[in-house]
Amino acid sequence: MKRKNKEILWGYLFISPFLIGFIIFLLGPMMFSFIGSFTDYNLTSKMSFIGLENFKKIAFKDDLFFLSLKNTIFYVVLGVPLTIAASLFFSILLNRQIKGISIYRTIFYLPAILSGVAVYVLWMQLLSPSSGLINTLLALVGIKGPAWLQDPNWTKPSLLIMKVWSSGGSMLLYLATLQNVPKTLYESAALDGAGALRRFQSITLPLITPIIFYDLVTSTIGSFQIFQEAYVMTDNGSGGPGNSLLFYNLHMWNKAFVEFDMGYAMAMSMLLFVLVILLTLVNLKLSKKWVFYAGG
């Protein structure tokens, strides 16, 4: 019994760095936000309990809340399928044994490791309506390019293009999964007369559904957290023309650190947490109908 207790103690000792970090940097702030969502708090005064007033204000007095939620859902609904499709398409192209394939894979993966303000500034230059490279190339073929980040109708498509461009991380996951699909299955299908499309539908797609599901869940969560792109590319959080890039997290940031209404911002964070949890549970429920696990 002593030996077992000693092993348990050593186990907790080894995982203690994670537990300490989890409590201090994740669980603690979550509990603070939950409590703060029911208070009036502006960083300079003590918290005063106001019950559900912040949530009532969200529902009935803040028109920008629903606009930011609408912008975010639009970005998620279009961005997640696009990046999954692009990642899968590029992984299939790169899953070939040709000369120099490692170079091509590196080129496609490179945007995934580039991040931060420098990338957003680069894309602002590329999307410049007057001197940007993209509009310059379109002009060469006789197409007048849009105003991109200066046109409310093109601001979100601009970010979607940038999101697809940086889909190399997911592409690498799909590539690794494709290389684990047994070659014998393709050979047997080819002997039975199955073409490339049929082999993809009947063999490739079912066997990679677990990684598609993983990408779907993580991309959905990540897309709901979009903030940096909109903050940097809309003049420090202005929301862009017509508030077309006022995403949920950007609106929450403005409430917290521009208006210093921290209680209201924490209420928004709790609603986002609940929304993401519900969507994840729905995805888990639906996954039983289309995700195939080998041997399951």
Side-chain angles (χ1 to χ4, degrees):
M1 191 68 181
K2 287 185 177 181
R3 178 173 182 148
K4 184 178 180 180
N5 291 337
K6 189 175 182 180
E7 290 177 352
I8 293 174
L9 181 62
W10 276 106
Y12 279 114
L13 182 63
F14 280 118
I15 67 172
S16 60
F18 166 78
L19 291 176
I20 294 172
F22 175 78
I23 293 172
I24 295 176
F25 298 111
L26 187 61
L27 183 61
M30 284 180 62
M31 294 301 298
F32 181 79
S33 293
F34 176 74
I35 296 171
S37 64
F38 300 101
T39 66
D40 180 18
Y41 179 48
N42 62 8
L43 291 181
T44 60
S45 62
K46 292 183 178 180
M47 285 185 172
S48 58
F49 183 77
I50 57 175
L52 297 175
E53 289 302 315
N54 285 325
F55 296 97
K56 291 179 181 178
K57 184 179 177 182
I58 289 174
F60 302 110
K61 298 181 180 179
D62 186 2
D63 294 334
L64 290 180
F65 168 81
F66 292 101
L67 177 61
S68 67
L69 183 60
K70 177 184 174 182
N71 288 337
T72 306
I73 291 176
F74 179 91
Y75 180 80
V76 172
V77 170
L78 288 184
V80 172
L82 277 175
T83 51
I84 291 177
S87 301
L88 182 56
F89 175 74
F90 292 136
S91 65
I92 293 173
L93 287 181
L94 297 173
N95 188 34
R96 299 174 182 272
Q97 297 303 321
I98 60 175
K99 186 176 180 180
I101 189 63
S102 59
I103 297 175
Y104 297 128
R105 290 172 180 171
T106 303
I107 292 173
F108 275 88
Y109 178 69
L110 189 60
I113 63 175
L114 301 175
S115 61
V117 176
V119 173
Y120 308 141
V121 172
L122 171 64
W123 272 97
M124 290 173 68
Q125 296 297 322
L126 291 173
L127 295 170
S128 172
S130 58
S131 58
L133 178 61
I134 295 178
N135 278 4
T136 300
L137 294 176
L138 291 175
L140 294 177
V141 294
I143 300 175
K144 179 176 174 57
W148 298 112
L149 295 172
Q150 299 176 19
D151 185 345
N153 296 318
W154 284 95
T155 50
K156 284 188 282 292
S158 300
L159 295 194
L160 290 174
I161 292 172
M162 187 171 68
K163 184 175 178 65
V164 171
W165 172 79
S166 62
S167 60
S170 297
M171 179 272 297
L172 195 64
L173 290 175
Y174 287 117
L175 180 60
T177 305
L178 288 172
Q179 292 183 345
N180 287 327
V181 176
K183 299 290 191 296
T184 54
L185 296 178
Y186 293 118
E187 295 169 356
S188 299
L191 290 174
D192 289 338
L197 182 59
R198 182 65 176 175
R199 293 196 297 270
F200 174 77
Q201 292 176 338
S202 302
I203 299 174
T204 306
L205 199 56
L207 291 179
I208 65 173
T209 48
I211 200 66
I212 294 177
F213 173 65
Y214 169 80
D215 192 20
L216 173 65
V217 172
T218 56
S219 295
T220 300
I221 295 172
S223 295
F224 266 105
Q225 296 176 359
I226 179 174
F227 167 75
Q228 290 184 349
E229 299 92 324
Y231 182 80
V232 174
M233 301 174 80
T234 62
D235 191 22
N236 294 333
S238 64
N243 285 321
S244 57
L245 290 181
L246 184 67
F247 294 113
Y248 194 99
N249 274 11
L250 181 58
H251 184 43
M252 184 166 58
W253 166 274
N254 289 335
K255 284 293 182 182
F257 299 106
V258 176
E259 301 179 21
F260 295 104
D261 193 350
M262 293 296 295
Y264 185 88
M266 286 188 278
M268 287 186 64
S269 71
M270 288 296 102
L271 289 178
L272 181 61
F273 175 74
V274 171
L275 176 60
V276 170
I277 288 293
L278 290 176
L279 285 175
T280 303
L281 291 176
V282 170
N283 280 327
L284 287 170
K285 186 71 174 179
L286 295 177
S287 67
K288 297 177 182 178
K289 298 182 178 181
W290 63 274
V291 179
F292 171 79
Y293 295 100

